[in-house]
Amino acid sequence: MDKTLRLSISPCPNDTFMFDAIVNGRIDCEGLSFEVEYHDIEELNHGVEALGPDISKISCAVLPAIKQHYRLLDSGAALGRGNGPLLVRRKGDKGAIKHLLVPGEHTTANALVGRLFPQIEYREPMLFSKIAEAVERGDADGGVLIHEGRFVYERRNLELVADLGVEWERQTDLPLPLGGIVIKRELGDDMRSRVERVLRRSIEYAFDNPSLSRDYIKAHAQEMEDDVIEKHIALFVNDFSLSLGEQGRRAITLLTGLEEL
């Protein structure tokens, strides 16, 4: 049965890498077609809270708020080790961080700050791609960088305070669950399985043919340099993206407090 689904993903390289084969017709999509929208991660989180897209990238931290209407797919996760958001400040600053810029209230990055640095008094949401510049300008005491920003902050007058992923791993001995792909429960189990097969096929195709997705990735990436794109994909797309597995599911349930996904 042919069906068109509304799909929302971020423009970051890990999403465009995984979805390239679906969006650009490189694989068998089992009769499915997709109307694709690209949004910042916090916009994606708000989108599922408003019950907008059929399928969407989300922050794992928002899962408890949407679990009644969406179900997490086994494929498509951004989850792993050494891939955490970075807490940075201007070089040479020594005072306590009291005003911190975060890439959205409902992001995993913000949830990690609350868990690991509860003493920070004020966390202000800001578009992820604007945070490094704002911190360098002195608009806040510090900021949390995600996506491509974590690879290029050293080009600015910024220094690392903490790698939130390293702190998470030290405390839990589990990989850090940053984001995942969810599907509306009302679409049913058969459609969920169908979408999971297609998404896994798309990721496998991307791994086997990495150069084919480059133009699509560059059309959407914030940072255009090939080395930044390659580092981003290598860090965020891995075996957990193909399947969460038992370890990945344990990590998400610990972060979210959910008993089942």
Side-chain angles (χ1 to χ4, degrees), residues 48-49 51 58 60-72 182-186 256-261:
V48 292
E49 288 182 318
L51 306 183
I58 51 95
C60 286
V62 83
L63 277 170
I66 64 168
K67 66 177 182 178
Q68 182 178 355
H69 299 288
Y70 286 88
R71 183 173 178 181
L72 184 69
V182 294
I183 186 170
K184 278 185 174 176
R185 290 183 180 272
E186 67 183 33
T256 62
L258 295 174
E259 294 183 0
E260 61 179 22
L261 301 178

Side-chain angles (χ1 to χ4, degrees), residues 2-109:
D2 293 347
K3 186 172 181 61
T4 299
L5 299 170
R6 183 181 170 193
L7 169 66
S8 293
I9 59 175
S10 83
C12 65
N14 57 302
D15 280 9
T16 47
F17 178 78
M18 290 191 294
F19 281 90
D20 167 70
I22 288 174
V23 174
N24 293 301
R26 305 188 197 278
I27 58 169
D28 175 15
C29 288
E30 301 186 21
L32 299 177
S33 58
F34 300 87
E35 295 178 350
V36 188
E37 300 174 0
Y38 303 91
H39 299 287
D40 162 70
I41 186 61
E42 187 71 338
E43 293 175 332
L44 293 170
N45 292 334
H46 286 309
V48 292
E49 288 182 318
L51 306 183
D54 298 310
I55 303 164
S56 182
K57 170 72 171 286
I58 51 95
S59 296
C60 286
V62 83
L63 277 170
I66 64 168
K67 66 177 182 178
Q68 182 178 355
H69 299 288
Y70 286 88
R71 183 173 178 181
L72 184 69
L73 294 182
D74 187 52
S75 296
L79 186 149
R81 297 183 182 273
N83 64 353
L86 303 183
L87 197 162
V88 301
R89 68 191 312 168
R90 282 186 300 175
K91 288 180 181 177
D93 283 358
K94 300 299 182 185
I97 295 177
K98 297 182 178 181
H99 178 190
L100 184 71
L101 302 178
V102 296
E105 180 182 357
H106 301 289
T107 60
T108 301

Side-chain angles (χ1 to χ4, degrees), residues 99-210:
H99 178 190
L100 184 71
L101 302 178
V102 296
E105 180 182 357
H106 301 289
T107 60
T108 301
N110 189 40
L112 285 170
V113 172
R115 180 188 182 110
L116 301 172
F117 295 91
Q119 72 275 18
I120 295 178
E121 298 174 359
Y122 177 46
R123 304 198 299 268
E124 178 186 355
M126 177 176 284
L127 182 66
F128 78 92
S129 57
K130 303 294 185 183
I131 290 177
E133 180 182 358
V135 174
E136 188 178 37
R137 203 165 49 231
D139 295 350
D141 302 321
V144 179
L145 305 182
I146 61 172
H147 299 330
E148 300 97 313
R150 72 187 311 282
F151 299 105
V152 298
Y153 76 92
E154 292 172 313
R155 300 176 188 176
R156 297 181 176 274
N157 186 37
L158 300 173
E159 63 184 16
L160 181 67
V161 176
D163 184 318
L164 303 185
V166 169
E167 293 299 316
W168 163 269
E169 291 172 43
R170 182 179 61 79
Q171 291 188 15
T172 67
D173 197 32
L174 288 170
L176 175 64
L178 293 168
I181 307 297
V182 294
I183 186 170
K184 278 185 174 176
R185 290 183 180 272
E186 67 183 33
L187 291 171
D189 289 342
D190 288 345
M191 181 59 70
R192 175 184 55 79
S193 297
R194 194 170 163 195
V195 171
E196 279 189 339
R197 288 195 303 271
V198 170
L199 178 53
R200 179 170 181 136
R201 189 177 300 137
S202 182
I203 299 168
E204 290 172 339
Y205 187 94
F207 279 141
D208 291 341
N209 305 275

